[in-house]
Amino acid sequence: MNYTTFEDFAISEEIVTALKALRYFKPTQVQQEVIPLTLKGKDIIVESQTGSGKTVSFGVPLCESVSWEENRPQALILVPTRELALQVKEDITNIGRLKRIKATAVFGKTSFDTQKSELRQKSHIVVGTPGRVLDHLQKGTMKFDKIRYLVLDEADEMLNMGFIEQVEAIIDFLPKQKQTLLFSATMPNEVVRLASFYMKNDRVSVKMESDEASKPKILQSFIRVQESGKPKQLLDLLTVENPDSCIIFCNTQEAVNGLYTFLSKAGLPIDKMHGGMVQDDRTAVMEDFRKGRLRYLVATDVAARGIDVDNVTHVVNYDVPEEKESFIHRTGRTGRAGKTGVALTLVTPSEERTWQGVKDFAQQEITEIDPPSARFVQHHKAAFEKKLQERPVIKRARNRELNKDITKVYFNGGKKKKLRAIDFVGTLTNIPGIDADDIGIITIQENVTYIEILNGKGHFVISEMQNRTVKGKALKVHKAKK
Ligand code: AMP
């Protein structure tokens, strides 16, 4: 069977419509393989690079298969990093939006109690990092008896990061009758062992050969520099390159902090991200960078894995990564979706040996270039400074089209007032012109409730609700701020 469109998978119309609104028109190779096999109930091991469209390949069948009526989690997706958890949650939410699929992200360094209360409500699909997921399972704050799907995303990374014991402990909690999908860029022995231990005997292996067309196009070069002049050398390089969107990787949090201070003093629209920052700050920085409000990000490897930001034009390795694989992850943030990217690595004399190892491992053409001369830098300065003054171009969000008819509405009452989803649905569907299809995801917290109103009817609902009550209670109702 040839799958040239998403309709060919015979999936529900709501999902096909959402995919079109997200500007996904033609299934990628991995989607053509994985979606039908998953819908058939197979356990699958997928060897595929990030950037191949794998999130959609499991997101579509999961959103198709979970039952909206069942409130408890039916699918669990394990990922190695918190940023990836948020990203996958957003992708799933987008794909399942018109089916009103509720995805919940759980990960460390953020409030356990907030996640606990989210998990107590409708949560069809849970995306999380192993440590926090296990914590919820052990404390009984996440129900697992209805889980029918387990996805291990970036399995090799999860094992590299030492999550193996947690992953195994999580699997032991879950019902035996379930479907398991495992995605990994490489297949080291531990991943193979995990698969043979925990997946069905008739599992299917899918290996995506990366052909020339699907390989990221990255122009790789490196420059030999002295340790002492590094910040200035970098600034010279950035002046000459004048990137539109650039991630600079350092090996340590201290280096990130130092370089961030130096470059922000130089006037660059920049922020920083590393594991020592609180999660809310990390999330906010990522969002600013993703939207294009920041043109530069200086980060440790927490920003290297799986993160999908449109049009990152440049990646700079300010430090040579100590782990060889990290070089591939870092530079893979550019050159995505058919665009050509530029990757530059600064190499000091003390890093020479590590660099040789990285180069041998990467097996890519990496050209040595000379540091730009003072004259050359001067020549480019005016254009560089002009761009610093320009207002950033805000990147178009992929889900803009999908969300344009959706308004999130705030109600100042929740569980404490004993309000349940059914009370809100009853009130809203009593408004002439509003029916159940116009109501999206409902999130009830202790004191507040958020409801997505679909089909462009949000403002109408808000104005009607000024004179109506929910279960006899008059509530403040307005457009939600976030
Ligand atoms: P992933 O492998 O999940 O990290 O996805 C890589 C990139 O491909 C993401 O930017 C997706 O938005 C994009 N993508 C996924 N599926 C499709 C598709 N069918 N058509 C176009 N772009 C896609």
Side-chain angles (χ1 to χ4, degrees):
M1 171 89 194
N2 231 348
Y3 300 98
T4 50
T5 66
F6 284 101
E7 275 98 340
D8 295 340
F9 297 118
I11 46 178
S12 48
E13 209 182 304
E14 288 104 328
I15 293 181
V16 174
T17 309
L19 291 169
K20 281 189 186 146
L22 291 165
R23 290 175 280 131
Y24 299 143
F25 301 109
K26 193 180 165 331
T28 64
Q29 203 192 345
V30 71
Q31 291 157 11
Q32 295 183 31
E33 298 272 348
V34 172
I35 294 174
L37 285 169
T38 310
L39 291 172
K40 274 193 203 136
K42 292 283 181 199
D43 276 11
I44 319 175
I45 304 170
V46 186
E47 186 173 343
S48 148
Q49 299 300 321
T50 65
S52 53
K54 64 184 168 58
T55 315
V56 173
S57 82
F58 61 78
V60 166
L62 292 190
C63 288
E64 176 70 15
S65 308
V66 297
S67 147
W68 187 85
E69 284 75 21
E70 174 57 62
N71 290 345
R72 293 184 175 193
Q74 297 158 61
L76 173 64
I77 303 166
L78 294 178
V79 297
T81 67
R82 304 182 204 128
E83 275 70 24
L84 198 54
L86 278 173
Q87 191 175 294
V88 170
K89 175 204 157 172
E90 193 178 322
D91 288 344
I92 299 275
T93 306
N94 286 334
I95 297 166
R97 179 137 255 153
L98 305 179
K99 266 195 79 183
R100 294 188 286 147
I101 301 299
K102 180 89 189 342
T104 304
V106 299
F107 44 80
K109 279 211 171 172
T110 45
S111 157
F112 186 89
D113 287 338
T114 309
Q115 291 170 4
K116 179 174 146 187
S117 105
E118 263 196 77
L119 288 169
R120 232 188 277 139
Q121 302 177 34
K122 215 181 236 312
S123 279
H124 300 112
I125 298 177
V126 176
V127 189
T129 48
R132 187 53 76 88
V133 168
L134 186 59
D135 213 8
H136 280 289
L137 290 172
Q138 285 168 336
K139 295 202 169 99
T141 43
M142 174 179 160
K143 301 283 179 255
F144 50 83
D145 55 326
K146 299 286 179 194
I147 290 189
R148 292 181 286 129
Y149 300 93
L150 171 67
V151 178
L152 303 170
D153 192 12
E154 308 226 349
D156 49 354
E157 285 305 330
M158 281 200 286
L159 302 190
N160 266 347
M161 292 171 77
F163 286 139
I164 180 77
E165 279 171 22
Q166 279 113 318
V167 170
E168 292 189 323
I170 290 167
I171 299 177
D172 286 339
F173 263 96
L174 304 181
K176 293 279 164 291
Q177 277 298 332
K178 65 178 174 311
Q179 199 179 335
T180 305
L181 311 179
L182 181 151
F183 292 81
S184 202
T186 56
M187 284 292 159
N189 284 342
E190 285 153 300
V191 173
V192 176
R193 191 191 67 84
L194 191 74
S196 64
F197 226 77
Y198 293 105
M199 295 172 78
K200 289 181 207 134
N201 287 336
D202 64 347
R203 59 189 174 270
V204 181
S205 292
V206 172
K207 185 170 172 166
M208 298 282 93
E209 299 296 344
S210 55
D211 54 23
E212 277 310 313
S214 65
K215 267 198 193 141
K217 294 180 194 65
I218 308 171
L219 301 172
Q220 293 272 11
S221 34
F222 73 100
I223 302 189
R224 292 203 157 90
V225 295
Q226 294 303 319
E227 187 63 53
S228 57
K230 247 170 119 184
K232 166 78 170 58
Q233 295 260 22
L234 173 69
L235 188 56
D236 284 353
L237 270 175
L238 295 177
T239 306
V240 171
E241 289 287 333
N242 203 6
D244 286 327
S245 177
C246 173
I247 309 184
I248 302 159
F249 285 104
C250 302
N251 288 356
T252 63
Q253 298 180 7
E254 296 72 50
V256 166
N257 289 335
L259 195 57
Y260 164 71
T261 308
F262 175 81
L263 292 176
S264 37
K265 275 196 189 138
L268 269 63
I270 191 165
D271 214 328
K272 61 177 176 177
M273 192 164 110
H274 59 61
M277 292 162 54
V278 295
Q279 187 59 38
D280 282 354
D281 290 346
R282 273 166 69 167
T283 307
V285 170
M286 205 56 222
E287 187 63 11
D288 280 347
F289 185 65
R290 196 189 297 280
K291 291 247 168 80
R293 284 194 284 263
L294 290 171
R295 291 209 346 261
Y296 292 90
L297 177 68
V298 51
T300 56
D301 281 316
V302 292
R305 293 193 173 97
I307 296 302
D308 183 33
V309 176
D310 282 349
N311 303 339
V312 173
T313 55
H314 289 65
V315 168
V316 178
N317 289 309
Y318 185 74
D319 297 321
V320 173
E322 268 144 27
E323 278 177 36
K324 300 189 281 286
E325 294 82 5
S326 186
F327 180 80
I328 309 289
H329 289 293
R330 289 179 177 186
T331 56
R333 297 313 101 213
T334 186
R336 295 169 76 82
K339 305 230 167 59
T340 301
V342 173
L344 293 162
T345 302
L346 307 189
V347 184
T348 60
S350 64
E351 291 173 316
E352 201 62 55
R353 265 193 52 192
T354 323
W355 176 236
Q356 279 310 323
V358 169
K359 265 199 333 187
D360 294 345
F361 174 79
Q363 302 228 332
Q364 296 178 25
E365 197 181 315
I366 308 180
T367 322
E368 177 165 6
I369 55 173
D370 291 330
S373 67
R375 252 185 82 149
F376 199 57
V377 173
Q378 194 57 35
H379 180 75
H380 285 83
K381 206 155 192 153
F384 178 70
E385 282 175 353
K386 182 163 175 272
K387 206 184 262 183
L388 291 186
Q389 305 310 323
E390 281 168 9
R391 284 240 240 136
V393 181
I394 301 303
K395 293 179 189 174
R396 180 177 153 182
R398 190 171 272 286
N399 60 7
R400 192 178 68 166
E401 189 66 20
L402 190 64
N403 283 347
K404 82 173 193 290
D405 292 337
I406 301 176
T407 311
K408 196 166 174 187
V409 179
Y410 162 96
F411 297 77
N412 77 331
K415 284 188 202 151
K416 269 215 176 117
K417 292 194 172 144
K418 302 219 164 5
L419 297 173
R420 293 163 308 157
I422 195 167
D423 303 320
F424 285 98
V425 173
T427 305
L428 295 176
T429 52
N430 263 335
I431 302 174
I434 300 295
D435 56 38
D437 286 348
D438 299 321
I439 303 171
I441 296 170
I442 301 177
T443 310
I444 306 183
Q445 299 175 351
E446 282 308 303
N447 297 309
V448 300
T449 295
Y450 296 98
I451 302 183
E452 288 183 356
I453 304 296
L454 315 182
N455 307 321
K457 296 183 182 174
H459 292 283
F460 173 61
V461 165
I462 292 170
S463 83
E464 283 290 314
M465 281 310 299
Q466 305 307 317
N467 308 315
R468 291 172 189 262
T469 57
V470 183
K471 217 174 158 188
K473 297 180 175 73
L475 301 178
K476 265 193 208 144
V477 184
H478 56 71
K479 190 163 180 257
K481 293 197 177 71
K482 52 171 193 173

